[in-house]
Amino acid sequence: MRQLLPLEYIDTIARTGSIRKAAEKLAITSTALNRRVLAIEEELGVKIFERMPRGVRLSAAGEVLLHHIRKQLDDMKRVKGQISDLEGERRGHVSIACSQALLTAFLPEQIALYRKAHPAVTFSVHRRDRAAAEMALVDRSADLAMVFEPVRLLDFKILLTVRQPVFAIMSASHPLAEKQNVRLREYLEYPLALPSSYYGVRELLEIAVRRTSGRLQPMVESDSFEFLRYQVLNENVITFHIEIGLPSQEHSHGLVYKKIDEQDIPSGSLYIGQLQGRTLPVAAARFINQTLDYFDQRFECS
């Protein structure tokens, strides 16, 4: 709708931090976009953006305005979804911020299932660490967040909490691959490839190891679980992951997964949620209901 264009202009500039970059996204010239901003500032009688040597940043008045703008755009997005539903079109867009573990199997399967019934609905999925996923809800760049062991939860409305045990991952040729009832101290005797320290799995490992006389001494660290799995195959090291991120056995490609005894590492929690006080657009609300049903059927939830 044309009356919303100025709001979208301000929102896009705020997200990119640059009038030039925003103009590229909006497919207009930076000169024209700058004129639009100046006109809005003149009408309001305040500066929305502070011009910096490299880009722009919101003024205090701009922060207030942006909050209002995002609520307006969000309301219109929801209304469009409701109108499409009345017409039987089932259109809409769903934006998800999530922990890396959900990218490999869970979300591709759930999105494909949803789009089979609603092919006009589009998705954007962004890998975000625990703090960034929550911020994506606050700035409304994401409708939904799915995060393992989140940091704050201040603005996070929890829809479901899913218990997630930690698994050790090794190649089928590893000395522990055939052994039953392996304890954490035994894994620590072998070379490890670990996720970076800001991931929830690593935090659970650190807490567990501090209760023992063992030490975490990774040979390799990475913020990519996919890389760690390939490293396991190439160097016969051990890595760790939560259950939702494990490929199915038919796609394991020579990997062995072993659940770690909860006496050694208690299960962590995967939180599914949205922004507190927000009414979700129709497509996002229906998608989250589908995923909640899946979790309820497969995992221990609360």
Side-chain angles (χ1 to χ4, degrees):
M1 300 179 72
R2 293 185 63 84
Q3 63 266 34
L4 294 178
L5 277 177
L7 307 186
E8 293 175 357
Y9 292 160
I10 300 300
D11 182 50
T12 305
I13 295 169
R15 291 189 191 281
T16 60
S18 164
I19 289 177
R20 180 184 58 81
K21 291 178 181 177
E24 291 174 358
K25 280 182 169 289
L26 295 165
I28 62 175
T29 67
S30 56
T31 304
L33 181 57
N34 190 51
R35 281 201 305 269
R36 297 291 184 95
V37 173
L38 292 173
I40 295 170
E41 289 179 329
E42 184 177 351
E43 183 178 347
L44 291 173
V46 294
K47 290 291 183 184
I48 300 171
F49 294 103
E50 297 174 6
R51 271 64 173 178
M52 311 295 290
R54 295 184 178 180
V56 296
R57 70 182 179 193
L58 286 165
S59 66
E63 292 278 3
V64 174
L65 178 62
L66 184 65
H67 179 72
H68 171 73
I69 284 172
R70 287 179 173 166
K71 286 189 70 175
Q72 292 287 101
L73 294 175
D74 196 46
D75 286 345
M76 182 53 67
K77 181 179 175 183
R78 188 176 69 255
V79 168
K80 284 181 177 179
Q82 291 171 340
I83 291 172
S84 294
D85 243 28
L86 290 173
E87 296 175 352
E89 295 178 356
R90 301 285 174 88
R91 297 184 183 276
H93 181 77
V94 183
S95 180
I96 304 168
C98 66
S99 296
Q100 188 177 166
L102 291 99
L103 295 174
T104 52
F106 171 73
L107 277 175
E109 291 171 359
Q110 289 298 308
I111 290 172
L113 178 63
Y114 187 87
R115 281 183 35 76
K116 186 175 181 180
H118 312 297
V121 175
T122 57
F123 282 79
S124 56
V125 179
H126 303 283
R127 186 181 79 178
R128 295 288 183 264
D129 64 27
R130 297 176 290 167
E134 293 173 53
M135 280 306 302
L137 294 181
V138 174
D139 68 18
R140 297 177 186 251
S141 59
D143 302 310
L144 307 168
M146 303 179 180
V147 285
F148 185 63
E149 295 294 318
V151 177
R152 294 180 299 143
L153 295 174
L154 293 179
D155 299 294
F156 196 110
K157 178 183 178 182
I158 300 171
L159 303 174
L160 193 70
T161 304
V162 186
R163 300 299 293 167
Q164 286 290 286
V166 177
F167 281 70
I169 304 175
M170 66 205 75
S171 71
S173 61
H174 193 279
L176 295 179
E178 299 296 329
K179 187 175 179 182
Q180 301 296 316
N181 303 318
V182 184
R183 301 300 297 268
L184 178 60
R185 62 179 179 274
E186 297 176 79
Y187 292 121
L188 300 181
E189 294 172 0
Y190 290 88
L192 304 177
L194 298 182
S196 303
S197 58
Y198 50 81
Y199 282 112
V201 173
R202 177 67 176 269
E203 184 177 343
L204 291 178
L205 284 166
E206 298 277 6
I207 293 170
V209 171
R210 282 200 291 269
R211 298 199 303 262
T212 74
S213 57
R215 294 177 62 191
L216 274 182
Q217 294 181 301
M219 303 295 106
V220 179
E221 291 185 68
S222 177
D223 62 359
S224 167
F225 286 111
E226 184 177 9
F227 166 81
L228 292 172
R229 283 198 295 271
Y230 278 104
Q231 194 66 29
V232 165
L233 290 172
N234 281 278
E235 199 182 346
N236 219 11
V237 293
I238 297 172
T239 192
F240 301 88
H241 209 351
I242 56 175
E243 186 173 7
I244 194 71
L246 299 177
S248 59
Q249 284 298 330
E250 59 264 31
H251 296 107
S252 61
H253 303 299
L255 296 175
V256 172
Y257 316 136
K258 287 184 176 291
K259 183 179 176 181
I260 296 180
D261 195 308
E262 296 234 359
Q263 296 178 69
D264 294 334
I265 304 181
S267 293
S269 294
L270 178 68
Y271 289 81
I272 316 301
Q274 65 175 84
L275 182 64
Q276 193 74 252
R278 181 185 179 192
T279 301
L280 288 175
V282 174
R286 286 187 168 165
F287 178 74
I288 198 62
N289 285 337
Q290 172 189 297
T291 60
L292 295 182
D293 287 344
Y294 172 87
F295 281 125
D296 273 331
Q297 292 170 19
R298 181 175 170 185
F299 296 103
E300 180 185 344
C301 302
S302 59

